[in-house]
Amino acid sequence: MSTHLVRATGEFRPMLQLALPVLAEQSLEFLVGMVDTYLAGHALPDELKTPALAAVGLMAYAMWMTFTIFASVGVGATAVVARLIGAGETQDAALAANQALVAGACAAVIGTIALYFGADAFVAMMQLEADAAQLATRYLRIIAPSLPFLMVIAVGTACLHGAGDTVSGLGVMTIVNLINVAVSTTLAFGLGPAPNLGWTGIAVGTAVAHIVGGCLVLLLMLGGRAGMQLRLRWLRPNRVMIWRLIRIGLPGGANDALTLGCHLWYLGVINSLGTLAAAAHGLGVRCEGPSYLGAGAFAVAASTMTGQFLGAKDPARAMRATMLSLVAGASLVTAYGVFLYFGGASLTWLYLGEVEPGGENAETADLTVRLLKVVAFSTPFMAALSIISGALRGAGDTKFPFIITLVGLLLIRIPGVYLFALDEIPLPLIGNVPGFGYGILGAWWVMVFDITLRSVLVAARYWHGAWRQIEV
């Protein structure tokens, strides 16, 4: 793909060749968390199911946090590699990939230490209660040693995506999922001669799967996949290339870090509503997850094609590719939104199985279904936000999306969740003031409004057209 994308006739087929493998890859990556959620709802005693779902919900954000640690490097790598490939400078593109792994390794060491030793403080800050807090802390400490391998997956596949190879990541994630399902299920249930480790087994299986995935990506790059050849002399720190990667990726990474930080803040407010709200939120996020997969896949296609077509000095073609990606991705995601609205109960049954009427698990299921009906309205706007932002990143335009994220999260979502979710809002110096008290439903409606507003602002930025002149 990397050698003929620019020379291909039309944009539709290249778009599908880029997006569909990424969709499959991200679906497999999503299945890692899905298996954890499924096992939490089926392999643990009934009294631990709701606390475990609350813990799994926080773990989804924790894994997002680990990927965000590498976001500055990954975003910069995709944009720089794509631009260099489009300009025919394949050796410099391979150098960029090597330096991206060097920068990512530094971030991975810091992240591993922080995650392992800061697990208790992180969980306490997120306001999980009792059993849910203990489960979350144990999971974080088990998963922390696999963080460097998770870095290789994140940064390595970002380089391959920039080179136009979206198939290799699919193969890696297929193997990762097979290992995760096999090891986690075996240890969670104690199948055969294996010990019955329950919750610990779920975490061990996930960690082992990520370690294997990271090793596979390294092997692909050692073999020179898509021209992204690892070479010892290119792994010596190159200040110029590392700065180029960070200069492009830092605003995008800061965007992701801000998004994560605000989501964690938002989650902390939801967790303060109690274990039931935390569990329903975590399960709801897991159920809506596939909508992000479709948007993310076509965002990668828009990003890669934009970068390579701009490298070939063809901005008109870059815009056509983005519009095609937007139509295809938004149609897919909106269709899933319709399913969330009308078929949410089937998803909660999948994760929880049959629940006793009137019990805590039944309350979790019922509340989750109501949340899915709310979030269904945001799906077309979320698709537009993700895909257009991907195109801007591929062009190297990462500063304005960062500002838009700043506005949406800090001025809309965070104040809104306090105002609409809580009965009383604690304000420094003033004391408590009354809120609307709509609980977690109010929090999710605020999220829908935030996504809608940011999608409009990002679309306006793209239509302005400044991305055509940005140098990377």
Side-chain angles (χ1 to χ4, degrees), residues 19-44:
L20 294 182
V22 173
L23 178 59
E25 172 194 336
Q26 292 183 346
S27 297
L28 290 169
E29 185 177 323
F30 171 78
L31 283 173
V32 174
M34 179 180 174
V35 168
D36 288 356
T37 306
Y38 177 87
L39 292 174
H42 290 79
L44 302 182

Side-chain angles (χ1 to χ4, degrees), residues 4 87 99 188 360 414 445-446 454:
H4 68 266
Q99 292 302 302
E360 186 178 39
I414 296 303
W445 275 117
V446 169
R454 281 192 286 143

Side-chain angles (χ1 to χ4, degrees), residues 377-411:
F377 289 101
S378 73
T379 50
F381 301 101
M382 183 275 294
L385 175 61
S386 179
I387 294 167
I388 297 173
S389 295
L392 291 174
R393 287 185 176 189
D397 185 359
T398 53
K399 294 180 181 178
F400 272 86
F402 173 71
I403 294 171
I404 291 169
T405 299
L406 194 71
V407 170
L409 294 178
L410 290 182
L411 299 184

Side-chain angles (χ1 to χ4, degrees), residues 5 15 18 74-83 158 161-164 248 295-311 318 321-322 325 386-398 462:
L5 176 59
M15 176 197 70
L18 287 167
V75 169
T78 299
V80 172
V81 169
R83 186 66 66 94
H161 288 166
I248 296 301
F298 285 94
V300 168
S303 178
T304 301
M305 296 176 78
T306 296
Q308 294 201 19
F309 290 147
L310 287 179
T322 298
S325 299
S386 179
I387 294 167
I388 297 173
S389 295
L392 291 174
R393 287 185 176 189
D397 185 359
T398 53
Y462 185 84

Side-chain angles (χ1 to χ4, degrees), residues 8 15 23 38 47 71 152-153 208 252 255 299 302 412 435 438 442 451 454:
M15 176 197 70
L23 178 59
Y38 177 87
E47 64 271 15
V152 174
I153 295 175
V208 169
N255 189 345
I412 303 296
Y438 294 132
I451 290 171
R454 281 192 286 143

Side-chain angles (χ1 to χ4, degrees), residues 222 350 399 411 426 432:
L222 282 169
L350 172 66
K399 294 180 181 178
L411 299 184
N432 292 339

